[in-house]
Amino acid sequence: MVFPDVRPRRLRRTPALRRLVGETDLDPRHLVLPLFVREGATEPVPIGSMPGVVQHTRETLKKAASEALASGLGGVMLFGIPAEKDPLGSGATDPHGILNLAITDVVAEVGDQLTVMSDLCLDEFTDHGHCGVLDPDGNVDNDRTLEVYAEMAVAQAAAGVDLVSPSGMMDGQVAAIRRALDEAEHQGTGILAYSAKYASAFYGPFREAVDSSLQGDRRTYQQQPGNRREGVREALIDVAEGADIVMVKPALGYLDVLSAVRAAVEVPVAAYNVSGEYSMIEAAAANGWIDREPAILEALTSIRRAGADIILTYWALEAASLLRR
Ligand code: PBG
């Protein structure tokens, strides 16, 4: 009889031993719930491609935010869907635009008890669906867009948001926003930057969630999926420009980028477990092809293991209740 010299299985024998040697914690405080609010909605509107996710009314949005607080989540990330879109995305900078009103509503509801974040991007507000304004040739005009982002940031800060979240992948967006916030005396408003954001097919269901009118794609501003080094470069640039937190997006297909970014910066790192990642597991589970709850917890644990301090996920509330069990 030959005995193995080394027996890693000893530490897996009982649940107590496994708990003792667990390397990765997943706690509700790590989770941020993205929430959609639709201007003019009188009932929550289900999003067909994201079972269980809705476009909220202003009233139900407040309820969802208090649930997030009661569940011990780390925060909420707000997205607005305006009734009218135009080429400049005017609803984004209007203090009475849906997202700015929603920020005020939610902050009034949860105060300082829950971190409130808001998407800072024009794609939900423009009729062409791009993340910025267009030049006469139809290209996204980086520097003109920065002026709009700066104005949008100040409107969101005035509405009371804790962290603005630029997701448009314009060069210089963090610096432009930081300067505008400081000039408007919002030094305390932070920036969670979508730093390494890839042009991904996994945003598909989100486009339905925000009634996106995009024709074409975002490949002139979002990164190509094969580039890891460039993701680290983007994160370093954002930190240098004043980002308080950097993010990698999507999460599951980009765990190596997440891990590299975590190693490269000193600020907290977030990851966005995006709509397509959510819907794939939901669809497989609905077909009986995958065991839903363990799949959710495994996906989120993997994102933590790769280096995310913070995870944006549509499962945040449910995962928090699974973790409490
Ligand atoms: C842009 C934005 C997108 C998502 C978050 N912010 C869409 C895009 O870049 O096309 C996607 C989120 C998801 O798929 O869950 N404002």
Side-chain angles (χ1 to χ4, degrees):
M1 191 73 154
V2 184
F3 295 110
D5 290 339
V6 189
R7 294 184 184 272
R9 284 186 57 195
R10 277 189 204 115
L11 297 180
R12 300 177 195 147
R13 191 173 53 84
T14 66
L17 277 163
R18 293 196 292 272
R19 187 162 63 92
L20 177 71
V21 300
E23 296 178 33
T24 304
D25 282 323
L26 179 65
D27 191 83
R29 77 179 179 96
H30 300 125
L31 307 177
V32 171
L33 178 66
L35 289 168
F36 302 102
V37 57
R38 183 189 182 115
E39 183 172 15
T42 50
E43 291 291 324
V45 182
I47 299 163
S49 55
M50 300 176 72
V53 181
V54 301
Q55 297 175 334
H56 282 285
T57 72
R58 283 178 66 185
E59 275 314 304
T60 65
L61 178 75
K62 287 194 277 185
K63 272 190 230 138
S66 20
E67 248 188 287
L69 170 60
S71 301
L73 298 190
V76 290
M77 172 69 77
L78 307 180
F79 293 91
I81 302 132
E84 314 249 314
K85 306 189 184 210
D86 63 30
L88 298 178
S90 316
T93 48
D94 179 355
H96 294 102
I98 181 63
L99 181 54
N100 297 322
L101 292 176
I103 292 168
T104 309
D105 288 345
V106 168
V107 171
E109 188 77 14
V110 300
D112 281 346
Q113 305 254 84
L114 180 72
T115 299
V116 180
M117 314 171 201
S118 50
D119 190 53
L120 199 169
C121 193
L122 288 178
D123 64 314
E124 291 95 355
F125 296 93
T126 52
D127 54 9
H128 45 74
H130 275 293
C131 294
V133 296
L134 305 182
D135 69 16
D137 297 330
N139 300 311
V140 175
D141 184 338
N142 191 91
D143 299 5
R144 173 75 193 97
T145 299
L146 295 185
E147 294 170 22
V148 184
Y149 284 0
E151 204 185 323
M152 193 175 177
V154 172
Q156 295 185 349
V161 84
D162 293 305
L163 299 171
V164 299
S165 306
S167 63
M169 289 299 280
M170 294 301 124
D171 291 339
Q173 62 185 11
V174 172
I177 289 166
R178 185 68 269 158
R179 182 188 305 162
L181 289 172
D182 290 349
E183 280 173 7
E185 296 187 23
H186 292 297
Q187 289 89 347
T189 306
I191 301 176
L192 184 165
Y194 288 65
S195 301
K197 178 171 178 183
Y198 290 85
S200 172
F202 293 93
Y203 306 151
F206 177 94
R207 305 263 164 97
E208 179 190 341
V210 299
D211 299 346
S212 171
S213 31
L214 180 70
Q215 305 285 327
D217 59 59
R218 306 197 195 287
R219 284 184 288 183
T220 69
Y221 42 104
Q222 298 181 346
Q223 291 177 249
Q224 53 176 314
N227 284 12
R228 172 171 51 197
R229 272 197 323 263
E230 188 186 26
V232 175
R233 179 176 188 227
E234 285 278 8
L236 291 172
I237 292 169
D238 283 356
V239 170
E241 290 184 16
D244 299 286
I245 301 175
V246 295
M247 183 149 74
V248 174
K249 175 183 176 188
L252 291 173
Y254 296 82
L255 296 178
D256 59 326
V257 180
L258 180 57
S259 165
V261 167
R262 178 58 291 169
V265 302
E266 304 295 339
V267 299
V269 176
Y272 200 139
N273 177 215
V274 299
S275 57
E277 298 172 337
Y278 172 87
S279 299
M280 281 195 297
I281 289 180
E282 289 293 334
N287 275 293
W289 296 339
I290 201 167
D291 191 357
R292 187 172 171 281
E293 293 179 353
I296 292 170
L297 292 178
E298 183 177 334
L300 297 176
T301 300
S302 299
I303 298 168
R304 284 275 299 153
R305 188 196 65 236
D309 302 293
I310 299 162
I311 305 173
L312 279 71
T313 175
Y314 302 98
W315 287 303
L317 283 174
E318 186 174 356
S321 91
L322 295 176
L323 292 169
R324 276 194 304 271
R325 265 195 223 153

